[in-house]
């Protein structure tokens, strides 16, 4: 990976005296998972009487918990990011430092490479084992009502890419570049991104896609581009695996 040159937007981000700091970043990551547990627990507790009559199955309660926690997290992060030009610093206000057509071409190449790795890994390293089997089981247990499908789409294709890109690329990757070279920051943030999904077999696959996103962010300086790409990836995967089968 190329070395950052003076004048790159990421230089000001990674300055030891500048935002984002590692401790606030860790705090936001921990907060997200605390909110997930809290919101999901509250929704399950509020609907547990209905569970006996199948009014609100447990899988969709988890999805609604993810939706609620993401909304709260995004609101809190908006309060934090709206001050002192932080959104601009992370690259949320534009499509970055390289032309859009070049960024699009690079994104396509990186995603194809990550998908190629995932295909090889799934078929030759862990054949017969689903990389995200628990998530597949969770989604399979959800009735395909319009409300449930809308909640699934929002949680997986909208909220997750927004929160994950803000946390693991915008904040964590940039914070780590204060202490590590760029390639080290991308690798470590990608490993942590894969690890928090709590699916051991899926770690290499998730990490490969995260590395692609991390390198794209480094090259473009635009978190907006990453968010759009991540949304497109999750939307396509959800459409193919859940809505069209």
């Amino acid at each position: 990976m190329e070395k950052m040159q003076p004048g790159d937007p990421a230089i000001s981000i990674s300055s030891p005296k500048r935002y984002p700091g590692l401790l606030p970043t860790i705090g936001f990551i921990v907060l997200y998972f605390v909110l997930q547990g809290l919101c999901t627990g509250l929704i399950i507790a509020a609907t547990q009487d209905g569970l006996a009559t199948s009014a609100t199955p447990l899988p969709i309660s988890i999805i609604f918990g993810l939706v609620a926690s993401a909304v709260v997290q995004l609101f809190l992060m908006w309060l934090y990011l709206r001050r002192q030009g932080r959104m601009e610093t992370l690259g949320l206000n534009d499509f970055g430092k390289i032309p859009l057509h070049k960024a699009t071409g690079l994104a396509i190449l990186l995603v194809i490479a990550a998908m190629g790795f995932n295909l090889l890994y799934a078929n030759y390293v862990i054949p017969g084992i689903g990389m995200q089997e628990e998530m597949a089981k969770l989604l399979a247990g959800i009735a395909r009502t319009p409300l449930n499908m809308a909640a699934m789409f929002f949680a997986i294709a909208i909220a997750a890419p927004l929160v994950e890109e803000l946390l693991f690329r915008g904040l964590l990757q940039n914070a780590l570049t204060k202490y590590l070279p760029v390639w080290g920051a991308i690798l470590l943030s990608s490993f942590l991104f894969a690890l928090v999904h709590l699916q051991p077999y899926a770690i290499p696959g998730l990490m490969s896609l995260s590395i692609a996103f991390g390198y794209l962010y480094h090259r473009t300086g635009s978190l907006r581009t990453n968010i759009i790409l991540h949304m497109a990836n999750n939307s396509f995967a959800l459409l193919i695996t859940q809505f069209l089968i």
Side-chain angles (χ1 to χ4, degrees), residues 112-161:
I112 289 174
M115 293 302 181
F117 172 84
N118 282 349
L119 184 64
L120 292 173
Y121 175 72
N123 285 285
Y124 296 103
V125 179
I126 55 167
I129 300 176
M131 282 202 299
Q132 299 194 56
E133 193 170 356
E134 293 304 315
M135 177 59 73
K137 288 179 180 178
L138 172 70
L139 297 179
I142 296 175
R144 296 302 192 261
T145 67
L147 178 60
N148 289 355
M149 292 175 71
M152 287 169 59
F153 184 82
F154 180 81
I156 295 170
I158 304 297

Side-chain angles (χ1 to χ4, degrees), residues 149-206:
M149 292 175 71
M152 287 169 59
F153 184 82
F154 180 81
I156 295 170
I158 304 297
L162 270 170
V163 174
E164 290 172 357
E165 289 303 318
L166 284 168
L167 289 179
F168 290 96
R169 247 69 65 187
L171 295 182
L172 183 60
Q173 182 174 312
N174 280 316
L176 288 174
T177 57
K178 298 178 182 180
Y179 310 99
L180 300 171
V182 170
W183 63 265
I186 292 174
L187 287 177
L188 182 54
S189 61
S190 295
F191 174 71
L192 294 173
F193 168 82
L195 189 65
V196 298
H197 283 76
L198 302 178
Q199 301 172 73
Y201 287 113
I203 286 177
L206 290 169

Side-chain angles (χ1 to χ4, degrees), residues 200-231:
Y201 287 113
I203 286 177
L206 290 169
M207 192 172 173
S208 69
L209 191 59
S210 182
I211 290 171
F213 287 150
Y215 182 67
L216 179 68
Y217 181 44
H218 165 60
R219 287 284 287 113
T220 66
S222 171
L223 198 60
R224 176 188 290 187
T225 301
N226 269 56
I227 290 170
I228 292 173
L229 178 63
H230 200 151
M231 285 181 174

Side-chain angles (χ1 to χ4, degrees), residues 69-149:
S69 62
V71 169
V72 175
Q73 178 80 13
L74 287 170
F75 175 70
L76 294 175
M77 293 191 74
W78 174 76
L79 292 177
Y80 175 70
L81 294 173
R82 70 191 179 100
R83 298 181 299 167
Q84 302 174 352
R86 290 170 177 170
M87 289 188 184
E88 183 178 1
T89 303
L90 293 187
L92 283 166
N93 295 344
D94 55 50
F95 287 103
K97 58 192 178 185
I98 65 176
L100 184 58
H101 70 279
K102 290 186 178 181
T104 302
L106 178 61
I108 292 171
L109 287 175
L110 289 169
V111 170
I112 289 174
M115 293 302 181
F117 172 84
N118 282 349
L119 184 64
L120 292 173
Y121 175 72
N123 285 285
Y124 296 103
V125 179
I126 55 167
I129 300 176
M131 282 202 299
Q132 299 194 56
E133 193 170 356
E134 293 304 315
M135 177 59 73
K137 288 179 180 178
L138 172 70
L139 297 179
I142 296 175
R144 296 302 192 261
T145 67
L147 178 60
N148 289 355
M149 292 175 71

